[in-house]
Amino acid sequence: MESAGTVEKAVDVLFHLHAARAPQGVTAIGQALGMPKSSTHRLLSALGRRGLVERDERGQYRTGIALVALGLGALEGEPVVAAGRPVLEAQAREVGETFFLVAARAGKLRVLDKAEGSGFLRAAPQVGSAVPVHATAVGKLYLAFGSDQVAQSGTPLKAFTPRTLTEPRSLQSAARAVRRRGWALNRDEWIPGLSVLAAPIRTGRGGDERMVGAVALAAATPRLEELGTDALARRVRRAAEQIAARLEVGAPGRGRSR
Amino acid sequence: MESAGTVEKAVDVLFHLHAARAPQGVTAIGQALGMPKSSTHRLLSALGRRGLVERDERGQYRTGIALVALGLGALEGEPVVAAGRPVLEAQAREVGETFFLVAARAGKLRVLDKAEGSGFLRAAPQVGSAVPVHATAVGKLYLAFGSDQVAQSGTPLKAFTPRTLTEPRSLQSAARAVRRRGWALNRDEWIPGLSVLAAPIRTGRGGDERMVGAVALAAATPRLEELGTDALARRVRRAAEQIAARLEVGAPGRGRSR
DNA sequence: AATTATGTTCCGATAAAAGGAACTTGTTCG
DNA sequence: CGAACAAGTTCCTTTTATCGGAACATAATT
């Protein structure tokens, strides 16, 4: 975490405030990042001048609203999100469980958007966060259809639960099965009690077909079985196809400027 | 826009990419901000190393998903948002029109959250954006109940529409009326055809009562009249009171760490 | 009122950013 | 097919902003 440029240190301050989830003072931030108070203070001032950090009534620093505008702007700039949102919302309302959108960005799988279910016990992934590859339904999809888009982690695959696939061989055979069926299932492999169904969003015809993301349905494992895995899988696949269709028609509209 | 520190320039790059709404290259960004290519390139690299900017398949730069996580984190850190979201969603579903949350931040009125209605014609404010004070329902609320929290703009108040109140005197009398009734109405004063009803979210008892934000209901003007302004106003006030109540009980729980 | 913790300002040494220019890569047009 | 152009990247010297210890100011605590 050492020896970074000024800009990167400033960004690190933002991430630290984000991770801390509570407003903090100059001293605490400086200690956490291994920087002297004065440097920390200068970075915070610069960030504050642009509204990326704010101060509460106690004078403690926290992330600012300017970040909200930037972040939501970045989301809306994602064609997959724009195309997917109404579909996610419609599905979440019909099924009553959480639907979300995941895509590979910079070698990692990121939650791009979500529409939460209505149950007392429901999945609530954090938009913007990363999820593991080898222990999720979407991860298997990427191994099956877009393995070049996600970074392969080192051989020691972390066993989140007893059901996590930690052997590269079993992962490969799982990927083959996924390729055959066209959808993926994760039952208690990442988080005990959580099951996820996922289907790929694919654009382009024939040779240059490309996976641009995945639709996932997350619910408590018993709930998923109660509703019927196969029926839900068909539903998730249909949702993914709808989003892909919206991307095809929408694509020409996104014109280049200047 | 000149003579800023490195951190501020980097942030300016982010805002520029946000405002451009389309991916851009090094040259275009540098020209827009008056910086040489090499400097622009260095800033973009630093931002990219932390995921705040990304590159599309053409190599053009755009804002990155790391910003999404930071931005949504900042939102969730706002107690008003956490308390308000379920209320907004419930109201939006019942009425079928857009409810949103506005609060003063750094002297400006900012949209903190929204729940959109379901109609073909519906208001869709951008979360994170600022709204004018003198031409909105929430602005009048702040003039009435929390004038110290928003910066007074210069005397020449911009006339967005023929109905905009541009005289400080008429604004003051409007604020008095708002204080008496406890809610505010904006009919076509900012955007023609758009009407907004707003009520203050107030916490604390007796002397140290404080306005911490406002709930607003936005709809096409004819629609608002069709549904009945008075009934809707009561509804908006009730929603604001619900959020305030949730803030009171929720407040002690938000513990300080360390 | 004294003490301690925390935020802010100051300033010389120094490393890092600035920016012009050369180099590389990819695209367009004859 | 190759030349001309445009855009991105790297190089290198000058200059300036960052660094960080320490003094100062301010607010909370006992």
Side-chain angles (χ1 to χ4, degrees):
Chain A
M1 194 174 277
E2 286 299 327
S3 75
T6 311
V7 173
E8 280 154 280
K9 285 184 190 170
V11 176
D12 288 342
V13 168
L14 290 179
F15 278 117
H16 173 73
L17 285 175
H18 172 67
R21 314 207 64 138
Q24 288 196 311
V26 175
T27 310
I29 299 169
Q31 278 182 352
L33 300 179
M35 302 191 299
K37 285 198 298 183
S38 52
S39 302
T40 310
H41 182 258
R42 185 162 21 77
L43 292 177
L44 285 166
S45 299
L47 290 169
R49 237 167 283 140
R50 289 293 186 270
L52 299 207
V53 300
E54 295 171 359
R55 319 189 58 175
D56 64 10
E57 60 285 351
R58 262 182 294 261
Q60 310 253 78
Y61 291 88
R62 65 171 168 204
T63 49
I65 358 88
L67 273 174
V68 177
L70 287 174
L72 294 180
L75 256 194
E76 281 162 27
E78 295 272 359
V80 197
V81 174
R85 170 156 305 156
V87 177
L88 293 186
E89 283 176 357
Q91 292 293 335
R93 200 168 316 130
E94 281 182 39
V95 180
E97 296 292 339
T98 300
F99 279 74
F100 60 108
L101 206 63
V102 180
R105 289 290 180 279
K108 294 199 163 189
L109 295 179
R110 297 259 172 199
V111 178
L112 292 192
D113 200 7
K114 69 171 173 186
E116 286 189 19
S118 51
F120 187 89
L121 173 62
R122 69 192 194 210
Q126 203 190 356
V127 175
S129 64
V131 298
V133 173
H134 72 282
T136 60
V138 176
K140 290 180 201 168
L141 281 178
Y142 267 93
L143 291 177
F145 297 113
S147 55
D148 54 321
Q149 296 181 52
V150 292
Q152 296 289 17
S153 52
T155 326
L157 299 172
K158 184 171 176 189
F160 295 101
T161 77
R163 292 185 58 94
T164 307
L165 299 179
T166 53
E167 288 300 321
R169 296 202 162 283
S170 36
L171 254 186
Q172 278 170 22
S173 82
R176 271 194 300 276
V178 164
R179 202 175 298 124
R180 194 154 13 86
R181 287 189 310 195
W183 53 274
L185 170 66
N186 157 21
R187 218 184 99 203
D188 300 349
E189 290 164 40
W190 181 30
I191 294 168
L194 177 76
S195 286
V196 177
L197 272 168
I201 303 169
R202 309 171 81 180
T203 58
R205 299 255 160 275
D208 54 279
E209 222 171 31
R210 225 183 99 79
M211 178 171 171
V212 297
V215 179
L217 159 60
T221 303
R223 177 79 181 141
L224 204 77
E225 286 163 357
E226 177 191 338
L227 291 173
T229 307
D230 289 334
L232 289 177
R234 278 193 296 277
R235 179 183 277 274
V236 173
R237 285 192 62 172
R238 223 179 314 126
E241 282 158 15
Q242 276 175 36
I243 295 173
R246 292 169 57 92
L247 279 170
E248 304 279 1
V249 300
R254 330 200 74 253
R256 192 113 318 283
S257 67
R258 200 164 312 253
Chain B
M1 194 176 276
E2 288 297 328
S3 76
T6 311
V7 173
E8 279 153 280
K9 284 183 189 170
V11 176
D12 287 343
V13 169
L14 290 178
F15 279 117
H16 173 71
L17 284 175
H18 173 67
R21 316 212 80 184
Q24 289 196 309
V26 176
T27 310
I29 299 169
Q31 278 182 351
L33 300 178
M35 302 191 297
K37 284 199 298 182
S38 51
S39 303
T40 310
H41 182 258
R42 187 163 19 79
L43 293 177
L44 285 166
S45 300
L47 290 170
R49 238 168 282 140
R50 290 292 186 271
L52 299 207
V53 301
E54 294 171 0
R55 319 189 56 174
D56 64 10
E57 60 284 351
R58 261 182 292 260
Q60 311 252 79
Y61 291 88
R62 66 171 167 203
T63 49
I65 0 86
L67 273 174
V68 177
L70 288 174
L72 293 181
L75 256 194
E76 281 162 25
E78 295 270 0
V80 197
V81 174
R85 170 156 304 156
V87 176
L88 292 185
E89 283 177 356
Q91 293 293 333
R93 200 168 316 132
E94 283 182 39
V95 180
E97 295 291 340
T98 300
F99 279 74
F100 59 108
L101 208 62
V102 179
R105 288 289 180 279
K108 294 197 163 190
L109 294 180
R110 297 258 172 200
V111 179
L112 292 192
D113 200 6
K114 69 171 172 186
E116 286 189 19
S118 50
F120 187 89
L121 174 63
R122 68 192 195 210
Q126 202 189 357
V127 175
S129 64
V131 298
V133 173
H134 73 281
T136 60
V138 177
K140 290 180 200 165
L141 281 178
Y142 267 94
L143 291 177
F145 296 113
S147 55
D148 54 323
Q149 296 181 55
V150 293
Q152 296 287 17
S153 52
T155 326
L157 298 172
K158 184 170 175 190
F160 295 101
T161 77
R163 291 185 58 93
T164 307
L165 299 179
T166 53
E167 288 299 324
R169 296 203 162 282
S170 35
L171 255 186
Q172 279 171 22
S173 81
R176 271 194 299 276
V178 164
R179 201 174 299 126
R180 195 153 12 85
R181 285 189 311 193
W183 53 274
L185 170 66
N186 157 22
R187 218 184 101 203
D188 299 348
E189 290 164 39
W190 181 28
I191 294 168
L194 178 77
S195 286
V196 177
L197 271 168
I201 302 169
R202 310 172 81 179
T203 58
R205 301 253 162 276
D208 54 280
E209 222 172 29
R210 225 183 98 79
M211 178 172 172
V212 297
V215 179
L217 159 60
T221 303
R223 177 78 181 143
L224 204 77
E225 284 163 358
E226 175 190 340
L227 291 173
T229 308
D230 289 334
L232 289 176
R234 276 193 297 276
R235 179 183 277 274
V236 173
R237 284 192 64 172
R238 224 178 316 125
E241 282 159 14
Q242 275 174 38
I243 296 174
R246 291 169 57 92
L247 278 170
E248 303 279 2
V249 300
R254 331 200 75 252
R256 191 110 321 277
S257 67
R258 198 164 313 253

